[in-house]
Amino acid sequence: AQSVSQHNHHVILSEAASLELGCNYSYGGTVNLFWYVQYPGQHLQLLLKYFSGDPLVKGIKGFEAEFIKSKFSFNLRKPSVQWSDTAEYFCAVNGPPGGATNKLIFGTGTLLAVQP
Amino acid sequence: GAVVSQHPSWVICKSGTSVKIECRSLDFQATTMFWYRQFPKQSLMLMATSNEGSKATYEQGVEKDKFLINHASLTLSTLTVTSAHPEDSSFYICSAGRTASSYEQYFGPGTRLTVT
């Protein structure tokens, strides 16, 4: 079954530092990949998604992610973080192929704290 | 667009009682809705998938008689936690997809359930 690993559980950065959050998935077939963000007290919001095409995907708020098929990875990056980026970040992959419901499998999340 | 609401946002109930949580898509029709459970410092775990007008599909290990899901219309799905126990205390999140084949889900703000 598909699984998603996020290696960094808790990241602390100073403002203007660069960010890279790791995400790896297990199943090597056709996948759709997502990064969601959950700001304190708010609901999950989509940051960016990859379905096909250019493996470098740009999302909202200056975030980008690169799909590397050979590494089963979809790491999230931002060149310069801001205090307002403090949130929890979830990587997600669509479920097993052939599934009629296109279930999302989530990673365990990475809590990012940006210090001013 | 693509706003999903949940009601209530927070509920406390006594052990043995039942609680109903509503999930509504406010500005689009949701063919498919998903219910997740999120424990503190853990990821979202899919509980079930519901398609409008048909029975929900439950994930392995989720008791369908305990977590009743109804998707009566294209804008409303409900989750009823029956005979709640303290171990059912959790954060319940719903999401909605525009079509059955859509990979993208829009998330509600979640409902915090506390069973005393």
Side-chain angles (χ1 to χ4, degrees):
Chain A
Q2 182 69 274
S3 64
V4 180
S5 300
Q6 289 183 244
H7 316 295
N8 317 101
H9 298 293
H10 197 180
V11 173
I12 302 173
L13 295 173
S14 298
E15 277 193 314
S18 63
L19 169 72
E20 180 159 4
L21 301 182
C23 173
N24 287 89
Y25 59 95
S26 60
Y27 178 74
T30 301
V31 292
N32 299 305
L33 299 149
F34 305 81
W35 274 98
Y36 285 90
V37 60
Q38 189 173 27
Y39 296 103
Q42 297 188 29
H43 61 280
L44 278 167
Q45 300 174 40
L46 181 66
L47 265 183
L48 47 79
K49 61 190 178 188
Y50 172 80
F51 286 177
S52 63
D54 189 343
L56 185 60
V57 179
K58 294 195 182 297
I60 61 171
K61 304 187 181 185
F63 286 91
E64 65 178 31
E66 185 175 12
F67 170 53
I68 303 179
K69 190 174 182 178
S70 61
K71 295 185 178 180
F72 299 84
S73 70
F74 190 57
N75 293 355
L76 180 71
R77 299 194 292 247
K78 185 170 184 178
S80 176
V81 296
Q82 301 173 320
W83 177 79
S84 58
D85 293 324
T86 294
E88 190 154 19
Y89 294 80
F90 293 93
C91 180
V93 181
N94 68 293
T101 56
N102 302 310
K103 298 181 294 187
L104 282 176
I105 309 300
F106 282 86
T108 51
T110 297
L111 193 58
L112 171 66
V114 180
Q115 297 175 329
Chain B
V3 179
V4 177
S5 70
Q6 281 184 243
H7 178 80
S9 56
W10 185 41
V11 59
I12 302 174
C13 72
K14 292 186 176 181
S15 188
T17 62
S18 296
V19 175
K20 180 184 283 189
I21 302 170
E22 291 186 349
C23 176
R24 293 182 184 272
S25 56
L26 298 184
D27 52 1
F28 68 101
Q29 293 186 326
T31 303
T32 305
M33 286 186 169
F34 303 84
W35 286 95
Y36 295 85
R37 187 172 177 177
Q38 186 179 27
F39 291 100
K41 299 183 180 180
Q42 293 188 32
S43 186
L44 283 77
M45 300 299 296
L46 180 65
M47 298 174 65
T49 304
S50 71
N51 291 298
E52 186 266 338
S54 61
K55 290 184 178 180
T57 302
Y58 290 81
E59 294 299 299
Q60 193 173 10
V62 177
E63 299 176 62
K64 61 181 180 181
D65 294 330
K66 181 170 185 61
F67 298 99
L68 301 178
I69 292 172
N70 184 277
H71 193 162
S73 77
L74 285 171
T75 59
L76 174 64
S77 176
T78 60
L79 167 68
T80 302
V81 183
T82 62
S83 187
H85 288 102
E87 56 264 32
D88 298 324
S89 298
S90 191
F91 196 54
Y92 293 88
I93 303 172
C94 75
S95 70
R98 292 179 185 274
T99 68
S101 60
S102 173
Y103 291 106
E104 193 165 343
Q105 298 177 23
Y106 304 95
F107 286 82
T111 296
R112 172 76 59 194
L113 170 63
T114 301
V115 184
T116 61

